[in-house]
Amino acid sequence: MFSYCTDPETLTGLRWLSCYLTTGVHFSFYWAFGKVLLLLALAAPSALLMGFLGAMAARSLIAPLRWIGKGYISVVRGVPDVAFFLFFVIALDQFFEWGRHKIKCPEWTDPIRQGNDFLVCPAAKLPLGTAPEWQHETYGFLLAVLTFAIVFGAFAANVIFGAMRAVPRAQMETAEAYGMTRRQSFWRVMVPQMWVYALPGLSNTWMVLIKATPLLFLLGIEDIVYWARELGGTKTARFSDYPHGDWRMWYFLALLVFYLGFTRFSEVVLRRLNARLSRGQATAAGEAQRKANA
Amino acid sequence: MSECAQTIADYAFRSLGYGERLLPRSDFTLCQHFVLIGSGLFWNIYFGLMALCSGFFLAIAVALGKASANPWLRKPAEWFILLFRGTPFFIQCFFAYFLFLSLKGSYPFFESFTSAWLGAVIVLFLNTSAYSGEIFYGALRSIPKGDIEAADAYGLSGWMRFRRITFPTMLRLGWPAYTNEAIFLFHTTTLVFFSGFPARQQAGDALYYASYFADKTFNPFIPYPILAFYFILLTLCIIGVYTLIGRRLNRHLPQEKRAKFRLRPQLIR
């Protein structure tokens, strides 16, 4: 990157380091941090949506829907999340391909599962066998986002379900007294008020979500863990301009620092948000704020 | 049926290195799924129990340290909790593995630290100590003021007050959250063999075998539900044991107060 980097063998000290850290592969490593942030940016709102739908299903008046909602919440929370990640990435992929297979190749008569193989017609492959590399990567990434949304949606659903029940009963009774229907009182009274009860739990889920992002590595995505292992491994002078010993420990130390900084930053932001949402609420935190101002 | 008995004989202790060396390669039966994944569960239970039993003591030390007025005790405890709660276990494990690997190069003493049975247990031990330490710290802070005042009125102080009043009350208040921590700790143990620590001779944990089957058959719908079944069973056992202990901790309370002791598994990890 820098002009003095043309002959790495002559460099020493900081100059060597500055050249080493700006090689092409290192930019792939830095871009992988972007991938983590992108995953969070996409997974958090979708998990929140899944959580909202899950909570609505869990408190539905229709029994089968309620069972689905409650089952979703407790099964996902009762099983290690890694298992779900490994499961859903294959299962969702096969589900999509199976669906496309049914639509695109109705004349196909061979069974889809043949022994240890999963065979769909070529037109149903996702992405198509002829698709460029970036489409494969994007598809893999989107599957990961969907998986994160499903798993963390269950955690969020549990929190939101609890928050909906925490809204004071008197508020709902007032809504009923005004003649609101069940739907109206849900959207106009319960939903706006539940957020302050949900926020501590949702903050917690967000923290857990951050700390689950390195599991992208297990889903076969070239994320920061992948690059840290690649770049940190011993490099000999034959294959690299920048030979070094086993530095994987230092790369993972850098990842630890990144995550520590990120969780710390989130904590501060969430604390402020909590203070903002508590303003004027009939909770202990809101009461404390009112007293402090008076 | 006799075929399944043979499978049990071959693979029931496969995860510990006993029995048939070669894993099945094709024509997997349901019995093989159940036996091998169940065999791997030994490791999860081993990791979880070791970390819980040792972590309990460090957790109490950390909680007391964080609640201490002395900054020389408080600051290290705060930093310890921050460090282990603020970073993913997955990365901690990778870091520890490579750290032990490079230490092994210079000091032969660290030979066995790169094996999962010791290295991963150390990471899990530190990790659960930090999480439980935070739980017990919270419990310590919510001990009713009246209890401490009553202890003072009885002339209890120092060690005696801690032993008779502070410690039991702290345990009692922190117990529901601690149950939850134990459950999530057992879930976390499934990450060990995916995070650097090698599964020597394919002797891995439950998830290791489940993903082995899923990779070989390309069918996730059998091994993972079996794994889920085992883990739900394990979770129920943990809840059972912790409820028994919790009931013992609460046995002096009047009945109607005791009835209030309900498990509310919240998320803490």
Side-chain angles (χ1 to χ4, degrees), chain A residues 74-84 86-87 90-95 113 115-118 155 158-159 165 201 204-205 207-208 210-215 217-218 224-225 229 246 248-250 252-253 255-257 259-261 263-264 267, chain B residues 25-28 79 82-92 94-95 97-102 131 180 183-184 186-188 190-191 194-196 207 211 214-221 224-225 227-229 231-232 235 265-269:
Chain A
S74 43
V75 168
V76 175
R77 283 161 40 87
V79 178
D81 48 2
V82 209
F84 266 97
L86 295 176
F87 170 76
I90 313 178
L92 284 175
D93 181 45
Q94 292 188 352
F95 175 72
R113 279 198 194 286
N116 293 340
D117 286 317
F118 181 84
F155 288 101
N158 185 49
V159 170
R165 297 220 294 199
N204 201 339
T205 310
M207 293 300 202
V208 180
I210 293 178
K211 285 185 272 174
T213 49
L215 300 182
F217 171 66
L218 297 180
I224 45 181
V225 178
R229 276 164 55 111
D246 189 351
R248 284 177 292 188
M249 183 180 123
W250 302 113
F252 278 101
L253 188 66
L255 294 192
L256 283 181
V257 171
Y259 276 106
L260 195 60
T263 46
R264 233 9 226 165
E267 221 171 58
Chain B
R25 301 207 161 266
S26 56
D27 303 324
F28 304 93
W79 275 98
L82 181 74
L83 201 66
F84 279 93
R85 290 189 72 217
T87 53
F89 173 75
F90 197 52
I91 307 279
Q92 287 166 15
F94 266 117
F95 174 70
Y97 176 68
F98 292 123
L99 175 73
F100 291 144
L101 208 59
S102 58
Y131 279 96
N180 204 29
I183 294 169
F184 279 99
F186 276 93
H187 288 183
T188 311
T190 52
L191 273 176
F194 289 92
S195 60
L207 185 64
S211 74
D215 286 348
K216 283 273 185 284
T217 60
F218 208 59
N219 180 0
F221 297 98
Y224 291 120
L227 178 85
F229 162 76
F231 263 91
I232 288 173
T235 306
Q266 289 152 331
L267 178 71
I268 39 125
R269 259 177 186 276

Side-chain angles (χ1 to χ4, degrees), chain A residues 76-154:
Chain A
V76 175
R77 283 161 40 87
V79 178
D81 48 2
V82 209
F84 266 97
F85 291 135
L86 295 176
F87 170 76
F88 272 122
V89 162
I90 313 178
L92 284 175
D93 181 45
Q94 292 188 352
F95 175 72
F96 291 145
E97 289 196 342
W98 173 79
R100 280 166 59 95
H101 178 84
K102 284 278 165 212
I103 295 165
K104 296 209 169 186
C105 319
E107 72 283 358
W108 199 272
T109 50
D110 295 343
I112 289 182
R113 279 198 194 286
Q114 299 181 2
N116 293 340
D117 286 317
F118 181 84
L119 289 173
V120 290
C121 62
K125 279 249 181 292
L126 254 184
L128 293 173
T130 54
E133 180 59 23
W134 69 267
Q135 283 189 7
H136 284 268
E137 278 180 20
T138 313
Y139 177 66
F141 188 77
L142 288 180
L143 274 185
V145 171
L146 204 54
T147 309
F148 269 78
I150 292 173
V151 173
F152 285 92

